[in-house]
Amino acid sequence: MKKKLTQLPIWIAYFFILLFCYAAISKIFDFENFQVQIAQSPLLSAYAGFVSYAVIIIELLIVLALIFTSTKRLGLYASLGIMVAFTVYIFLILNYSEFIPCSCGGILEKLGWTEHLIFNIACVFLAITAIIIIEEKSSKRFSTYCIRMISVVALNTSVVVYLFFSSEQIIKKENNFTRRFMMHPTLEEKSLQLSDSHYYFAGYDNENIYLGNRKFPQTLLTVNTALSNQTSIRINLDNMKHPFRNLKLAVKAPYYYIHDGTVPVIFRGKIGDSKARTISLQDAYFNQLIVLDSLHFALRTQSSETQQFVLADFNLNAGNKKLQLRPDILQKQIDGVFDIDGSFIADNFRSQLIYTYTYRNQFIVMDADLNVQKKMNTIDTVRLAKIESKRLADGIHKMSAPPLKVNLRSAVHKNLLFNQSDLMGKHESKKAWKEASIVDVYRTDKPEYVGSFYLFKKDKHSISDFMVTDKYLYVIINDKIIQYQFTKPITKYFTSGEAENRSKE
């Protein structure tokens, strides 16, 4: 037994040799992608060039140290150090970063962030076990090698924490604009407990609100507008053989639609009926869809010629001309993909479509035929999208640095656009930003900024979706729907009234 125990450090060393060889070689063979992914990290973005080379070199040096008997002890201490660094890095990303980057190659490509954190912790304990056995065999005093291990852990933790605080990150910065907060524009009325936190708003009518579920995409939840009753059905699709990736729900009475533009397919069912039938298959690929009529849609798709996002009219009654691209609506600034990303929404009351850019201060107002009526600005100063992207050899665009998000999500009702902003204005409380989200309100019939209001977190959870009706603002926070009643500062603008501040175009 004792002999087997003394052999354990050798087997642990072999494990780390295989681990770091695999990790380093996979990064070398896909170095361009690895470097782009490092640059996405809010923790390492300022050091992407140096770190991308340093990690590979360190992993290979550790392998060399572990191979030779004379340097095996040093290699195990180095293994402990780098695994501690990786563990602290992932912990900070998961718990303190506002931007969760893509995975960084190697085994991390196969595991999720949480799973890789657990894997790293296990590796840390393996390295500690091997070091203890080797040091005991060499008759070293416990206090001596214990101090060494603590020093290695402390040093590597300190380095990663320093990088976290010193690296240039995309944070909420003070911009050259001032918000005007309305006096009590909403009053919290009631809330309803949901079964989980994966719901989103799919639509509404005079009596009910309809919700889809990201985790269970064939679930349609119906909640009455008083939030006093809820019913759920599981949608049965007439064809389940498609390789679905991103099923989503949309409701426009009397039908619901379940669609996946990556397949591409659209199913339709009648509200109250669990059976949904295919109404479109292989007609158009898309990544956003708005229901205009029972067989008429507005889409955001990607041009096969330019690879850029474009809006399109999609009419299943139009014979051979079902899809009509409108490439002139979304204006390219940098890459035509990330720089024109945004949310595509509809004001059904006024038959208007709104496209709000994610990374710049502009939204576009269109009629139901996708004719541009107005292009207006939000009140912040980000006119040019602050992103860095790279097109890889396989043609896929990837962010090469964390982007500056301007607008997170939007809702529109009767000539008012409710836009959740991600930028702090002048003279705003940092404490309030930590405790709440800010919604800016604009008119869509003319370029006017109405005002702003806070939506405070519940149990430290921020809003994940919101929806606007004549009288109420419905918000999803974690696993609850919360109903806020609009007061006069908002409702007066549904018909007429002067704005409290004016935005500049």
Side-chain angles (χ1 to χ4, degrees):
M1 180 68 182
K2 188 175 181 181
K3 185 177 180 180
K4 289 183 179 179
L5 193 63
T6 58
Q7 294 296 311
L8 186 58
I10 298 174
W11 291 107
I12 292 175
Y14 287 154
F15 166 76
F16 281 123
I17 289 170
L18 291 173
L19 175 66
F20 293 131
C21 271
Y22 171 78
I25 291 171
S26 65
K27 292 179 180 72
I28 291 170
F29 278 98
D30 197 16
F31 182 75
E32 181 187 36
N33 193 34
F34 170 62
Q35 195 170 52
V36 168
Q37 290 166 340
I38 285 289
Q40 291 178 326
S41 168
L43 193 154
L44 300 172
S45 56
Y47 309 102
F50 168 76
V51 169
S52 58
Y53 289 99
V55 168
I56 295 173
I57 293 170
I58 290 171
E59 288 175 340
L60 292 176
L61 288 174
I62 291 174
V63 169
L64 288 175
L66 290 170
I67 289 174
F68 300 103
T69 305
S70 59
T71 56
K72 194 178 299 293
R73 180 187 286 106
L74 176 62
L76 288 170
Y77 274 105
S79 299
L80 172 62
I82 196 170
M83 294 312 301
V84 166
F86 290 161
T87 302
V88 173
Y89 168 76
I90 295 175
F91 177 80
L92 291 174
I93 287 291
L94 289 175
N95 292 278
Y96 297 101
S97 172
E98 294 184 0
F99 181 87
I100 304 296
C102 298
S103 56
C104 298
I107 289 178
L108 190 54
E109 291 282 5
K110 311 300 180 184
L111 299 178
W113 284 94
T114 301
E115 290 82 0
H116 199 73
L117 178 64
I118 295 169
F119 176 83
N120 284 1
I121 292 171
C123 289
V124 168
F125 281 107
L126 283 177
I128 290 173
T129 301
I131 290 169
I132 290 174
I133 294 172
I134 282 182
E135 296 290 19
E136 286 289 340
K137 185 179 179 181
S138 302
S139 301
K140 292 286 180 68
R141 293 178 59 184
F142 175 76
S143 59
T144 301
Y145 63 80
C146 186
I147 290 172
R148 286 179 185 172
M149 286 192 293
I150 292 173
S151 299
V152 169
V153 171
L155 176 62
N156 284 274
T157 300
S158 299
V159 169
V160 177
V161 171
Y162 171 77
L163 290 175
F164 181 76
F165 286 107
S166 65
S167 181
E168 183 180 357
Q169 302 177 62
I170 299 303
I171 59 173
K172 294 181 176 70
K173 298 177 181 178
E174 183 167 317
N175 288 266
N176 187 29
F177 67 94
T178 303
R179 284 188 172 90
R180 179 168 293 179
F181 289 90
M182 296 178 281
M183 294 294 293
H184 308 297
T186 61
L187 297 174
E188 185 174 339
E189 291 272 298
K190 59 187 73 171
S191 64
L192 177 68
Q193 183 71 46
L194 300 173
S195 59
D196 59 59
S197 60
H198 301 285
Y199 284 99
Y200 60 90
F201 291 115
Y204 71 96
D205 56 30
N206 292 333
E207 298 178 352
N208 298 305
I209 301 166
Y210 302 97
L211 297 96
N213 191 294
R214 296 178 183 87
K215 188 175 182 180
F216 306 103
Q218 289 175 248
T219 298
L220 173 60
L221 180 67
T222 302
V223 179
N224 67 340
T225 54
L227 301 190
S228 59
N229 184 46
Q230 57 179 306
T231 57
S232 178
I233 64 168
R234 186 184 187 281
I235 298 171
N236 297 310
L237 306 179
D238 64 357
N239 188 343
M240 289 295 296
K241 295 181 180 180
H242 303 299
F244 297 120
R245 297 184 205 169
N246 190 27
L247 277 172
K248 289 184 179 179
L249 268 168
V251 177
K252 187 177 176 71
Y255 300 106
Y256 64 82
Y257 302 80
I258 184 165
H259 53 85
D260 187 339
T262 65
V263 171
V265 64
I266 302 174
F267 302 91
R268 188 183 69 185
K270 201 156 189 178
I271 296 173
D273 185 354
S274 64
K275 295 180 180 179
R277 296 170 177 81
T278 303
I279 60 171
S280 172
L281 178 61
Q282 302 297 337
D283 290 318
Y285 290 89
F286 56 90
N287 42 52
Q288 291 191 45
L289 175 144
I290 294 175
V291 181
L292 301 176
D293 204 344
S294 60
L295 295 172
H296 190 193
F297 309 89
L299 307 177
R300 192 186 75 176
T301 184
Q302 196 164 15
S303 169
S304 58
E305 296 179 0
T306 65
Q307 301 302 310
Q308 296 177 16
F309 286 155
V310 295
L311 302 186
D313 184 279
F314 182 48
N315 192 340
L316 294 175
N317 284 322
N320 294 328
K321 296 183 179 180
K322 295 177 183 178
L323 186 69
Q324 299 291 324
L325 299 183
R326 303 296 175 84
D328 56 324
I329 298 176
L330 302 182
Q331 299 298 311
K332 173 184 175 180
Q333 289 184 334
I334 300 169
D335 60 9
V337 179
F338 295 113
D339 64 329
I340 59 177
D341 195 12
S343 62
F344 198 18
I345 56 176
D347 182 351
N348 293 323
F349 185 86
R350 292 184 177 272
S351 298
Q352 283 185 333
L353 304 175
I354 310 289
Y355 191 89
T356 306
Y357 288 108
T358 299
Y359 302 109
R360 61 175 113 157
N361 66 346
Q362 189 180 79
F363 61 93
I364 305 169
V365 181
M366 297 159 276
D367 63 20
D369 295 319
L370 273 75
N371 298 310
V372 175
Q373 297 175 327
K374 299 174 186 68
K375 292 183 179 181
M376 294 183 280
N377 295 104
T378 54
I379 59 173
D380 62 88
T381 60
V382 185
R383 291 181 177 271
L384 181 67
K386 295 183 179 180
I387 63 169
E388 294 179 26
S389 68
K390 192 171 186 178
R391 187 174 180 179
L392 303 180
D394 57 5
I396 297 176
H397 286 268
K398 283 199 173 185
M399 290 281 194
S400 56
L404 176 66
K405 280 192 175 182
V406 177
N407 307 304
L408 294 182
R409 57 181 60 88
S410 301
V412 63
H413 183 66
K414 289 184 171 177
N415 80 298
L416 284 188
L417 175 69
F418 296 78
N419 181 59
Q420 184 185 350
S421 174
D422 200 32
L423 296 178
M424 183 184 292
K426 282 189 172 181
H427 316 301
E428 292 178 14
S429 167
K430 291 182 179 179
K431 181 181 179 182
W433 267 90
K434 292 179 181 179
E435 297 175 352
S437 301
I438 283 186
V439 176
D440 300 321
V441 185
Y442 304 90
R443 292 181 68 159
T444 60
D445 56 342
K446 53 184 175 180
E448 292 182 353
Y449 163 62
V450 172
S452 304
F453 60 89
Y454 289 111
L455 285 175
F456 286 91
K457 296 179 179 179
K458 303 291 183 183
D459 299 324
K460 298 183 179 180
H461 292 285
S462 301
I463 65 174
S464 60
D465 201 6
F466 63 89
M467 185 184 72
V468 177
T469 67
D470 273 344
K471 295 181 179 179
Y472 300 108
L473 170 69
Y474 292 94
V475 174
I476 297 177
I477 299 181
N478 194 28
D479 56 357
K480 287 184 180 179
I481 301 180
I482 303 172
Q483 182 191 72
Y484 296 86
Q485 183 175 359
F486 286 126
T487 61
K488 191 174 180 181
I490 292 290
T491 56
K492 67 180 180 180
Y493 290 102
F494 281 146
T495 53
S496 62
E498 295 296 322
E500 293 187 25
N501 198 359
R502 188 177 290 269
S503 65
K504 296 179 181 179
E505 284 197 272

